[in-house]
Amino acid sequence: MEAFTIHTGRAVPLRRSDVDTDQIIPSDWLKRIERTGFGAGLFSQWRTDESFVLNNPAYAGASILLAGPDFGTGSSREHAVWALQDYGFRAVISARFADIFRGNALGNGLLPVQLPAETVESLQSAVEQDPTVEITVDLDAREVRGAGVAAAFELDDFTRWRLMEGLDDVGLTLRHEEMITGFEGARPGWLPTTV
Amino acid sequence: MGRTLAEKVWDAHVVRRAEGEPDLLYIDLHLVHEVTSPQAFEALRLAGRPVRRPDLTVATEDHNVPTTNTLAPIADPVSAAQVEALRKNCAEFGVKLFPMNDPGQGIVHVVGPQLGLSQPGMTIVCGDSHTSTHGAFGALAFGIGTSQVEHVLATQTLPQRRPRTMAVTVEGDLPVGVTAKDLILAIIARIGTGGGAGHIIEYRGAAIRGLSMEGRMTVCNMSIEAGARAGMIAPDDTTFEYLAGRERVATGPAWDEAVAYWRTLASDPDAEFDHEVVIDAASLTPYVTWGTNPGQAAPLGSLVPTPSDYANPAAQASAERALAYMGLTAGTPLTEVAVDTVFIGSCTNGRLSDLRAAADVLRGRQVAGDVRVLVVPGSMQVKAQAEAEGLDQVFEAAGAQWRSAGCSMCLGMNPDTLSPGERSASTSNRNFEGRQGQGGRTHLVSPQVAAATAITGRLTAPADL
């Protein structure tokens, strides 16, 4: 996983609530067995509409998505995170994220930043007025800065450390393998097996 | 202070707890399908890691599989490659697989319960958000992403922070003609698509106790549509009767030991929930969705809503956008909305009792004009049981298509899709834009309403036939 410490970039305003993962990456794209190449599928149904914000050349190269509330609802597909990253996004800012999407993003180093709805809206307005405005997402300080805004966001110390170090969970967990083995030895015998 | 059901199951699975870190939870059952697993197996291969507990892992082919002509090779080469990858991965890592045409094959959330693998007090995960289905047994069951699939394959554990708890208490009895599907649609309409975010919901109350296991699965299945991490129902005699005698369930003294434990899993009387919602069952009627998220639902007897009636500007904008996409006019009676296709199936409503309910409505009647009706059993076992009862003949005599098992038109990864502008009444779980096919328009309904709609060609409750 690529480490995340601080990122500065331009941002795209996506003024829609309840953006589900079927919109982020439609199911046609889920048939692929690779982890890469999903950027072309990002919002692919909406991108057929010329007026969709990602089709606006002013936002080309932006790396922060300013989304409406309840972003990433629905399907657990991690492909949604892979698509956002492959397209070039490093962080998504929203008033609320769906739980599974948030977990998937944190597992891949795409930073989900939760800020109050009015703060997200003022950032959206600022980049709508001037698409060249740069925004900084500072994980070290747990703060978003830019466009006249300086807003603190919450993220627990452990998750922050893991992201800043770029550590993957499997490696961290396997440090405790003896405890897993110990737990397994105490499981009741009536629990089912699949074979 | 007492503990909730969710807290009891959680506490019983903590392998490691450390200040400031997520709990490391042991996973009792890992369900796998072809769509969200290939990258996880590939990561294991690259790291040279085995599947830690193949005996707690089971796979099925469901999302991509065609529901007609299933003995022929899968026509779509990309779908075929994904199914082939699952077969290769399961063979290489020693994971039990139910492939297409196997009598055990079916939708992953139908297969687990029918085998008796989904039991009270267990932790169950799958790379699929509708894993919440298994909470109907009093299990803690939730959907995960592919990186977490890899983590569970490698370690049989998952680091997780404990969600908050929410009680949804449904008091009274459901009126005749009101189903588990109507109930969960009404709950989602009430609390919203994000209302359960960060929470595990426990469904309680007389109306929940009165549901069959299959009805409870329908309710828990759509917990994710309210944004919840999981949905749970305390196990009771209904649960134990369903489990007794199933293939993967203990027998003899081990069964008695299991039941004695399961009876301890109810929330304590003094347990506190972070949130509580109370629903009056008697006030409910059949529900349908009119918009493009499952919270945009209303009683079938009501009108397409008027966006300007919403006080919240975001809800207003969302409703306007939804009506434009759905091609609906505010103020139209929902019973005047005509459909092109009816889909009966999915992990929400593709079980035997769902098919029986639909068949009861269709028996001796005819599907309207050129309405296309797909009936897709949730598993090969459900298909066989339905055929043993003659339900297939009821469907075919009415003019519906009787198909083979799979996810099918719920998400249209196989050839069963809506065309642009086509409108469906669907017993599935998501009415998102393009969910059933690009440009397709979906109304979520119960199996009974789906069947009645097939007969009239417009959204209809059986009572109005």
Side-chain angles (χ1 to χ4, degrees):
Chain A
M1 185 173 83
E2 191 183 345
F4 192 113
T5 47
I6 185 167
H7 175 76
T8 299
R10 289 178 294 111
V12 186
L14 181 63
R15 284 192 184 266
R16 297 185 191 195
S17 61
D18 287 291
V19 173
D20 59 77
T21 56
D22 272 78
Q23 307 314 317
I24 299 172
I25 185 88
S27 64
D28 271 358
W29 285 84
L30 308 193
K31 297 178 184 180
R32 303 175 74 253
I33 59 175
E34 300 84 14
R35 234 178 220 268
T36 54
F38 289 96
L42 181 70
F43 295 119
S44 64
Q45 287 194 33
W46 289 351
R47 277 158 80 182
T48 60
D49 172 2
E50 279 182 23
S51 68
F52 182 57
V53 67
L54 281 195
N55 291 331
N56 183 342
Y59 296 110
S63 54
I64 298 167
L65 186 64
L66 297 170
D70 290 315
F71 186 80
T73 56
S75 161
S76 63
R77 58 189 70 169
E78 194 162 313
H79 313 65
V81 170
W82 300 336
L84 286 161
Q85 288 183 308
D86 196 49
Y87 187 86
F89 288 111
R90 295 293 319 276
V92 183
I93 300 177
S94 170
R96 187 160 66 179
F97 293 93
D99 293 337
I100 302 178
F101 176 85
R102 184 173 182 277
N104 289 341
L106 291 171
N108 284 274
L110 175 73
L111 194 66
V113 178
Q114 189 166 323
L115 290 178
E118 50 273 28
T119 310
V120 180
E121 274 172 31
S122 67
L123 288 168
Q124 287 173 331
S125 298
V127 301
E128 279 165 356
Q129 280 172 14
D130 180 3
T132 67
V133 164
E134 290 202 326
I135 292 172
T136 295
V137 178
D138 184 343
L139 179 59
D140 196 12
R142 281 177 277 218
E143 191 177 62
V144 171
R145 294 184 296 273
V149 169
F153 62 88
E154 288 184 13
L155 193 70
D156 66 87
D157 291 343
F158 178 81
T159 306
R160 173 169 156 274
W161 166 76
R162 195 175 56 69
L163 286 166
M164 290 180 68
E165 298 291 323
L167 298 173
D168 86 290
D169 280 331
V170 176
L172 288 175
T173 296
L174 287 175
R175 295 181 189 175
H176 310 297
E177 194 174 0
E178 280 182 19
M179 295 178 80
I180 299 172
T181 305
F183 186 94
E184 283 175 328
R187 295 175 77 237
W190 48 261
L191 282 166
T193 59
T194 58
V195 288
Chain B
M1 193 179 74
R3 291 182 300 162
T4 63
L5 163 62
E7 287 161 352
K8 289 180 183 183
V9 178
W10 187 283
D11 291 345
H13 289 84
V14 175
V15 173
R16 176 177 179 271
R17 178 169 283 168
E19 180 63 30
E21 295 186 34
D23 286 346
L24 189 63
L25 285 190
Y26 198 80
I27 302 302
D28 291 319
L29 177 65
H30 186 188
L31 303 162
V32 173
H33 64 83
E34 77 275 16
V35 176
T36 54
S37 65
Q39 296 87 354
F41 281 114
E42 179 65 13
L44 289 190
R45 204 176 280 120
L46 290 172
R49 290 174 179 142
V51 171
R52 181 179 179 90
R53 294 296 300 266
D55 60 327
L56 304 183
T57 311
V58 66
T60 184
E61 299 168 0
D62 56 6
H63 282 63
N64 276 272
V65 301
T67 55
T68 52
N69 200 17
T70 57
L71 293 173
I74 297 177
D76 176 351
V78 193
S79 286
Q82 190 164 63
V83 168
E84 189 50 42
L86 181 67
R87 292 177 186 180
K88 179 171 156 278
N89 288 328
C90 287
E92 181 180 337
F93 289 93
V95 171
K96 168 73 180 166
L97 168 68
F98 293 107
M100 265 176 74
N101 297 307
D102 186 286
Q105 179 265 344
I107 305 174
V108 67
H109 308 307
V110 178
V111 167
Q114 81 184 15
L115 282 168
L117 282 171
S118 309
Q119 298 181 12
M122 290 173 62
T123 47
I124 301 174
V125 298
C126 174
D128 190 287
S129 60
H130 292 110
T131 309
S132 57
T133 308
H134 310 267
F137 291 85
L140 176 62
F142 53 93
I144 56 177
T146 297
S147 295
Q148 292 170 318
V149 169
E150 176 198 344
H151 193 282
V152 177
L153 289 172
T155 70
Q156 204 58 34
T157 64
L158 208 53
Q160 290 282 296
R161 291 195 181 273
R162 189 155 86 181
R164 285 162 293 179
T165 55
M166 178 186 289
V168 173
T169 305
V170 190
E171 291 176 342
D173 298 322
L174 290 176
V176 173
V178 179
T179 69
K181 181 65 164 287
D182 303 310
L183 171 58
I184 188 62
L185 287 174
I187 291 171
I188 300 163
R190 164 89 170 266
I191 69 176
T193 54
H199 290 77
I200 299 170
I201 295 176
E202 182 181 336
Y203 302 97
R204 304 145 59 88
I208 298 295
R209 296 260 76 83
L211 291 174
S212 68
M213 280 315 297
E214 298 196 347
R216 293 178 188 187
M217 284 188 249
T218 299
V219 169
C220 288
N221 172 276
M222 290 188 71
S223 301
I224 182 68
E225 264 59 68
R229 197 79 185 87
M232 301 177 82
I233 294 173
D236 59 12
D237 288 338
T238 302
T239 320
F240 310 147
E241 279 164 28
Y242 177 96
L243 287 169
R246 288 189 185 262
E247 184 182 324
R248 293 286 158 189
V249 178
T251 54
W255 163 262
D256 296 336
E257 190 189 327
V259 172
Y261 173 62
W262 295 343
R263 287 196 189 280
T264 70
L265 290 175
S267 290
D268 295 325
D270 59 341
E272 283 182 19
F273 292 87
D274 297 299
H275 285 95
E276 290 202 60
V277 174
V278 178
I279 306 261
D280 173 20
S283 69
L284 297 177
T285 57
Y287 258 65
V288 300
T289 61
W290 51 266
T292 54
N293 71 57
Q296 292 176 324
L300 176 53
S302 66
L303 308 177
V304 173
T306 303
S308 58
D309 289 350
Y310 290 94
N312 173 344
Q316 192 174 325
S318 173
E320 274 169 12
R321 196 183 147 74
L323 292 192
Y325 180 85
M326 293 295 289
L328 294 174
T329 306
T332 308
L334 283 163
T335 50
E336 288 180 9
V337 175
V339 306
D340 308 293
T341 289
V342 171
F343 171 63
I344 299 173
S346 85
C347 59
T348 312
N349 281 127
R351 297 181 178 80
L352 187 60
S353 60
D354 300 312
L355 302 188
R356 283 177 181 157
D360 283 346
V361 176
L362 284 165
R363 191 171 281 114
R365 292 188 165 112
Q366 282 298 311
V367 168
D370 49 7
V371 175
R372 171 172 66 142
V373 183
L374 271 66
V375 186
V376 182
S379 70
M380 291 297 275
Q381 189 183 102
V382 169
K383 181 170 193 266
Q385 289 169 326
E387 288 174 356
E389 295 181 11
L391 302 186
D392 57 324
Q393 292 167 35
V394 174
F395 290 124
E396 291 189 330
Q401 301 175 32
W402 177 245
R403 298 293 190 94
S404 220
C407 299
S408 181
M409 196 183 272
C410 175
L411 82 169
M413 281 190 77
N414 77 344
D416 307 337
T417 57
L418 295 180
S419 304
E422 196 177 352
R423 187 183 301 279
S424 77
S426 177
T427 67
S428 55
N429 41 56
R430 288 188 175 138
N431 52 339
F432 296 153
E433 291 181 27
R435 169 80 175 180
Q436 297 189 292
Q438 193 163 353
R441 295 160 168 166
T442 303
H443 296 273
L444 302 178
V445 299
S446 71
Q448 288 86 333
V449 168
T453 299
I455 293 161
T456 63
R458 51 189 172 72
L459 295 174
T460 302
D464 295 330
L465 285 173

